[in-house]
């Protein structure tokens, strides 16, 4: 089922988006397991950074290297897993169908959920940046605009993937399982938990095509002011040099946005799978 209705499409309005976002926040608060995924798991991952403080990895502090990886990886919790859980549950209890019968447009119904997820991700990212700077010896990001661009691209990619995966998920009970392949692939293969330099070149090239890999590369380049896209030593880059270094990463993100949009249009469902 396609994401949009064949007629009556209009740009989303801010007030309707805010109303849907408020509804999503209310439903999230009532779902304790989903709330733990969004708020509890990032706290556990943040705690994992403390033992890495002072251990150099790839020429930088290990806690900061992993922390910037977590900064990218939290999009999987706050956006991808949150939206898959929420969309699947609301589809199966007919909430999406009822909302679609109101004056809200499709883009407002879906955009409100994405807005809620994006705001929660922004809160997590801001808190982690404060932790990196205040407790782990970090710094203010060398290029905040590049950092925001990378995080925004990650939100777009994983929101679209969430629409697609929710359509394949039979019910809300299965949502916790259907998200695992993408979560583990991104956690283990995108350079979040450990550097990829020790892997063969062919494996590194393949793993750099994962949807989270370009987000990690952009975030680290923007935070440290060093090139974390090219192989070898991470040389310092200026503001313009950082954007040039991340050109390939942005191209991979753009490709995933196209793929995610096609998959979402093909697999997303507004009505229960039993219908």
């Amino acid at each position: 089922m396609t994401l949009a209705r064949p007629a009556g499409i209009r740009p989303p309005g801010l007030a309707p988006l805010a109303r849907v976002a408020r509804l999503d926040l209310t439903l999230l608060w009532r779902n304790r397991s989903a709330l733990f995924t969004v708020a509890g798991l990032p706290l556990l991952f943040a705690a994992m950074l403390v033992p890495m403080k002072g251990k150099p990895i790839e020429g930088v502090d290990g806690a900061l290297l992993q922390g910037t990886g977590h900064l990218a990886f939290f999009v999987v919790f706050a956006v991808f897993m949150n939206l898959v859980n929420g969309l699947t549950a609301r589809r199966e209890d007919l909430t999406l169908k009822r909302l679609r019968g109101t004056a809200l447009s499709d883009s407002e119904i879906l955009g409100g959920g994405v807005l809620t997820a994006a705001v929660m991700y922004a809160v997590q990212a801001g808190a982690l940046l404060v932790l990196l700077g205040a407790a782990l010896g970090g710094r203010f990001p060398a290029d905040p605009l590049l950092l925001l661009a990378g995080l925004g691209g990650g939100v777009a990619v994983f929101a679209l993937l969430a629409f697609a995966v929710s359509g394949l998920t039979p019910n809300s009970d299965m949502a916790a399982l259907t998200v695992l392949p993408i979560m583990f692939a991104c956690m283990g293969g995108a350079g979040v938990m450990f550097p990829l330099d020790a892997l063969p070149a062919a494996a590194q090239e393949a793993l750099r095509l994962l949807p989270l890999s370009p987000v990690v590369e952009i975030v680290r380049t923007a935070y440290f002011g060093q090139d974390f896209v090219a192989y070898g030593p991470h040389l310092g880059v200026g503001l313009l040099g950082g954007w040039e270094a991340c050109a390939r990463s942005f191209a991979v993100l753009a490709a995933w946005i196209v793929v995610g949009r096609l998959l979402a249009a093909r697999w997303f469902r507004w009505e229960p799978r039993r219908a």
Side-chain angles (χ1 to χ4, degrees):
M1 179 175 291
T2 59
L3 284 174
R5 293 173 231 185
I9 299 174
R10 57 182 172 84
L14 292 179
L17 281 176
R19 288 197 297 270
V20 176
R22 187 169 63 248
L23 171 64
D24 281 355
L25 278 174
T26 301
L27 295 175
L28 176 64
W29 180 255
R30 293 174 180 174
N31 188 335
R32 293 297 186 260
S33 61
L35 188 62
F36 174 76
T37 298
V38 173
L41 287 179
L43 290 176
L44 294 177
F45 273 79
M48 293 167 57
L49 301 177
V50 177
M52 300 300 300
K53 184 178 179 181
K55 298 179 180 179
I57 303 176
E58 294 192 354
V60 297
D61 187 277
L64 299 181
L65 184 73
Q66 283 201 0
T68 49
H70 291 172
L71 193 62
F73 184 60
F74 283 1
V75 74
V76 178
F77 295 137
V79 177
F80 177 66
M81 297 175 69
N82 177 31
L83 284 175
V84 171
N85 282 317
L87 289 170
T88 304
R90 286 156 215 171
R91 182 194 72 214
E92 293 301 306
D93 67 10
L94 301 180
T95 298
L96 286 182
K97 185 176 181 179
R98 288 194 293 269
L99 287 174
R100 216 178 185 210
T102 67
L104 294 170
S105 68
D106 290 351
S107 55
E108 288 165 349
I109 296 170
L110 299 179
V114 175
L115 176 61
T116 302
V119 169
M120 288 189 294
Y121 181 42
V123 171
Q124 291 179 359
L128 182 55
L129 284 171
V130 170
L131 175 66
L132 294 179
L136 298 176
R139 49 168 294 171
F140 190 77
D143 190 340
L145 289 180
L146 180 59
L147 181 70
L148 287 175
L151 298 182
V155 170
V157 168
F158 282 93
L160 290 168
L161 291 177
F163 294 147
V165 173
S166 73
L168 297 175
T169 304
N171 52 61
S172 57
D173 293 333
M174 291 294 295
L177 297 178
T178 56
V179 300
L180 292 181
I182 291 179
M183 186 192 79
F184 284 131
C186 290
M187 183 169 64
V192 174
M193 305 301 294
F194 57 86
L196 302 180
D197 289 353
L199 299 176
Q204 292 185 46
E205 285 297 322
L207 293 175
R208 291 177 72 185
L209 297 178
L210 290 171
L212 189 67
S213 296
V215 184
V216 174
E217 293 170 348
I218 294 169
V219 166
R220 284 178 173 158
T221 299
Y223 186 85
F224 292 107
Q226 299 172 248
D227 186 354
F228 274 84
V229 180
Y231 296 118
H234 304 301
L235 303 178
V237 293
L239 292 180
L240 181 59
W243 289 86
E244 291 176 348
C246 293
R248 170 192 164 126
S249 303
F250 279 113
V252 175
L253 273 180
W256 271 108
I257 288 175
V258 173
V259 171
R261 181 63 182 85
L262 292 174
L263 294 178
R266 181 178 180 84
W267 292 336
F268 182 77
R269 299 175 64 93
W270 289 95
E271 303 203 14
R273 291 179 61 88
R274 63 180 179 275

